Amino acid sequence: MIDLKSLSLQEMTDVMKAMGQPAFRGKQVFTWLHKGARSFEEMTNLPKALRDQLAAECILTVPKVARKQVSHQDGTMKYLWELSDGNCIESVLMRYHHGNTVCISSQVGCRMGCAFCASTIAGKVRDLTPAEMLDQVLFTQLDSGMEISNIVLMGIGEPMDNLDTVLKFLELVNHPDGMNIGMRHISLSTCGVIPGIRRLAESNLQLTLSVSLHAPDDETRSRIMPVNRAYHVDDLFAACHDYFRRTGRRISFEYAMIDGINDNDWQADLIAKRLKGMPGHVNLIPLNDVVESPFKPSKRVAAFQRRLESHGITATVRRSLGGDIDASCGQLRRKAMEEAKKGESAQ
């Protein structure tokens, strides 16, 4: 079965030609899919015989809204999407004055094991397809009725661990005959998978690279982020400096503030030292309190910010959205999994 929505326009056109159809059918099908068609029968400008053939030979991914939460505080929307195989992933729609941003997942679960993250608790199940990534943007827009102008790849999963799919997704969502969301409106986050950073540098895309740093020293970072045991922090910063030299684009460093772990003045000083010679933005994140995690939110966020700024580093504190819902990554999926297990044990 052909996963049509994961295909580029040229690949779609080739499939149509292989079916004995004229080349223009490729653009017709591509347009329908990127408008959110839920069945081939909706594609009314295609011949009935072709629609039947597509239904018999192709897959049309349409995620189901398993759960949806809407914040009464700021309108943030959290979606738990059920995929065709029954697995679930999360997306979050956030409303800002500059437009609507959707944070999407790249994998079902995550194998990176960051100690403070709910997404990784059950490990990685599988990679998403380009279509399943695109569906999160497309159907969030359709369900909410709000036009999506910005995308953040910072949901469940490590994008660099599924980079071929991510690059294909970026090509699709950026296409002028599709959703046409510009690269400068897309941010891709990684926990520090260096081969992915170097490959992304070679691609020279005009997106924003976000690096989940969370500690500037190997001892602390290895304690809370197992990926650091494979890619040490010295090598990570070297890759970041190289990325800036190649692309000329500033990197955003995400930093979850953990009480007594990574919120010391000497760590702020070390961040400034490692960023020397490269423009960088440090985004301080008040830690979400995950039940299974022993780590607690820092009480020194403002002091840490001032320390960074004293070195000339641009540092901001992430605005907290969806405080009255399970807006942080992995929480809603985790709850759904726990409830499903309770249901099974009760039978």
Side-chain angles (χ1 to χ4, degrees):
M1 298 287 280
I2 303 170
D3 179 8
L4 280 182
K5 204 182 295 179
S6 288
L7 303 182
S8 67
L9 177 56
Q10 183 57 58
E11 291 168 335
M12 191 92 66
T13 300
D14 292 342
V15 168
M16 292 301 107
K17 288 180 179 179
M19 291 181 173
Q21 297 292 324
F24 70 85
R25 295 292 184 207
K27 185 174 182 179
Q28 287 181 318
V29 175
F30 187 90
T31 301
W32 275 111
L33 293 177
H34 288 249
K35 285 182 177 179
R38 296 174 178 271
S39 72
F40 293 110
E41 281 303 307
E42 294 179 29
M43 304 179 184
T44 52
N45 58 349
L46 303 183
K48 180 66 165 60
L50 176 57
R51 282 180 273 159
D52 291 342
Q53 185 177 4
L54 292 174
E57 300 179 12
C58 301
I59 297 170
L60 180 54
T61 58
V62 181
K64 299 177 183 177
V65 178
R67 298 189 183 188
K68 176 182 176 181
Q69 296 179 336
V70 181
S71 170
H72 296 294
Q73 296 176 357
D74 50 45
T76 297
M77 297 183 183
K78 179 67 172 280
Y79 287 92
L80 183 69
W81 299 106
E82 182 179 335
L83 307 178
S84 58
D85 62 357
N87 278 303
C88 291
I89 54 173
E90 296 177 356
S91 308
V92 182
L93 175 62
M94 298 163 287
R95 303 166 69 178
Y96 296 99
H97 67 277
H98 59 268
N100 300 313
T101 297
V102 63
C103 179
I104 67 170
S105 300
S106 56
Q107 297 174 313
V108 180
C110 182
R111 64 175 178 168
M112 294 299 147
C114 296
F116 49 85
C117 180
S119 299
T120 194
I121 290 172
K124 174 187 168 183
V125 178
R126 68 171 176 86
D127 291 328
L128 296 184
T129 65
E132 289 169 331
M133 292 188 67
L134 182 66
D135 281 343
Q136 294 174 71
V137 185
L138 184 56
F139 287 99
T140 294
Q141 178 168 279
L142 291 172
D143 183 84
S144 68
M146 299 180 189
E147 183 178 358
I148 303 297
S149 55
N150 303 281
I151 301 171
V152 179
L153 279 74
M154 201 181 289
I156 295 173
E158 164 55 54
M160 297 299 193
D161 194 35
N162 188 21
L163 190 52
D164 287 337
T165 289
V166 166
L167 291 174
K168 189 61 171 289
F169 158 75
L170 292 172
E171 176 188 354
L172 294 174
V173 80
N174 180 239
H175 198 283
D177 292 317
M179 297 197 74
N180 195 26
I181 296 177
M183 287 291 176
R184 291 179 182 271
H185 295 272
I186 300 175
S187 178
L188 187 155
S189 177
T190 178
C191 67
V193 180
I194 292 175
I197 294 174
R198 297 201 180 281
R199 185 176 167 194
L200 195 65
E202 293 171 0
S203 301
N204 199 23
L205 300 175
Q206 296 300 297
L207 50 68
T208 297
L209 173 63
S210 293
V211 174
S212 295
L213 180 60
H214 306 312
D217 60 293
D218 275 329
E219 182 180 354
T220 306
R221 199 165 192 269
S222 293
R223 175 183 173 188
I224 62 177
M225 301 180 72
V227 68
N228 195 74
R229 299 164 196 164
Y231 306 113
H232 294 174
V233 74
D234 284 342
D235 298 325
L236 173 59
F237 273 98
C240 289
H241 278 271
D242 184 60
Y243 181 91
F244 171 69
R245 284 192 293 269
R246 284 173 172 262
T247 67
R249 296 191 62 77
R250 185 182 74 165
I251 297 173
S252 178
F253 292 89
E254 308 297 313
Y255 204 89
M257 297 293 295
I258 308 172
D259 186 47
I261 303 295
N262 66 351
D263 58 352
N264 301 290
D265 283 347
W266 68 265
Q267 289 166 316
D269 297 341
L270 186 54
I271 291 173
K273 180 180 178 180
R274 293 189 181 281
L275 286 180
K276 189 175 181 179
M278 173 183 67
H281 166 239
V282 180
N283 188 22
L284 302 176
I285 306 168
L287 186 72
N288 289 299
D289 211 345
V290 177
V291 175
E292 293 88 345
S293 174
F295 302 117
K296 299 304 173 185
S298 171
K299 305 175 183 67
R300 301 194 71 248
V301 176
F304 199 85
Q305 180 184 21
R306 289 193 298 270
R307 188 79 175 194
L308 287 170
E309 291 174 339
S310 73
H311 291 288
I313 302 297
T314 301
T316 56
V317 179
R318 179 183 290 177
R319 174 187 167 202
S320 180
L321 295 175
D324 56 333
I325 61 174
D326 299 309
S328 61
C329 185
Q331 288 185 330
L332 191 55
R333 175 174 175 264
R334 182 196 64 196
K335 286 185 177 181
M337 292 171 65
E338 290 174 350
E339 291 173 7
K341 287 180 180 179
K342 288 179 181 178
E344 291 173 359
S345 60
Q347 292 178 354

